[in-house]
Amino acid sequence: SDRLIEIVSDLLSLARAESAGASLEFAPVHLRELALEVSRAAQTLSAETGILVEVAARHGLERGEDLTVLGDRAALRLALGNLVENAIKYSSAGTRVRLEVEPRGSSARITVVDQGPGIHRRHHDRLFERFYRVDKERSRQLGGTGLGLSIVRNVAAAHGGQVGVASEVGVGSRFWIELPLGDLA
């Protein structure tokens, strides 16, 4: 029953994200603050697995400075939380997961970097599809519904953004959400 509840919950989240913003409430969202919130929420899972979760502001952000986008905080939190949860699940004890917030011209990027097993390039194009799994057996053992990355992609799209991945087998992965920096006035 817990597994069914998880699947139904993820399907509802996906349906909301796919509704192209119909149920989203847009307001200014501070991305570094959001990353810190998601990092704190992941502490229980990361403590159980012995993985350090940290937040870093990168490239052009002074200490304490933040990037602000117009978005639905709850939806963005869900998307970023899915990326962090995956990074923790697929990483080994004693490694770290880092959330990076950085400006990229007219957009802002939040990247989740892990030191997990990495993902072969042949899977990259399909990772954000519903129910796609790289390693079906390991995915079943770790839990999850196969919808998390699809939710991430749809939340980014509903915000006018995009997602991406760079990964190398044996090195780790970098998943990102890139969102437009628009006029917040």
Side-chain angles (χ1 to χ4, degrees):
S1 68
D2 289 341
R3 179 99 171 104
L4 286 174
I5 290 169
E6 185 179 11
I7 290 170
V8 169
S9 176
D10 278 357
L11 284 170
L12 288 171
S13 294
L14 184 58
R16 278 192 292 273
E18 286 180 339
S19 68
S23 63
L24 300 179
E25 296 182 25
F26 287 80
V29 178
H30 303 283
L31 295 182
R32 186 169 189 282
E33 181 182 295
L34 179 67
L36 288 167
E37 181 181 323
V38 169
S39 171
R40 284 189 295 271
Q43 291 307 313
T44 302
L45 180 59
S46 67
E48 290 171 2
T49 57
I51 295 169
L52 175 66
V53 178
E54 60 188 9
V55 176
R58 296 186 31 152
H59 306 298
L61 288 181
E62 300 302 322
R63 187 171 185 83
E65 191 177 350
D66 207 340
L67 289 170
T68 304
V69 298
L70 194 59
D72 182 292
R73 184 178 190 79
L76 291 172
R77 186 180 189 285
L78 173 66
L80 187 56
N82 282 345
L83 292 180
V84 170
E85 185 177 322
N86 282 350
I88 293 170
K89 280 183 183 178
Y90 289 97
S91 293
S92 300
T95 61
R96 65 183 59 213
V97 170
R98 189 173 66 249
L99 287 81
E100 300 172 349
V101 179
E102 64 183 314
R104 307 228 356 138
S106 62
S107 62
R109 181 181 281 190
I110 301 178
T111 305
V112 177
V113 182
D114 69 47
Q115 298 171 320
I119 302 164
H120 194 280
R121 175 164 277 140
R122 72 176 173 265
H123 299 288
H124 291 190
D125 290 340
R126 298 197 58 205
L127 283 174
F128 295 94
E129 292 177 11
R130 292 181 194 179
F131 303 113
Y132 186 78
R133 295 173 186 250
V134 172
D135 181 348
K136 290 172 181 50
E137 186 59 35
R138 184 167 183 197
S139 295
R140 275 190 213 100
Q141 291 171 355
L142 295 173
T145 62
L147 294 170
L149 291 178
S150 183
I151 292 169
V152 172
R153 181 192 64 207
N154 282 285
V155 166
H159 287 80
Q162 58 188 353
V163 295
V165 60
S167 185
E168 186 177 335
V169 174
V171 177
S173 301
R174 299 175 66 85
F175 283 86
W176 65 84
I177 302 171
E178 195 161 318
L179 302 168
L181 288 170
D183 182 13
L184 300 176

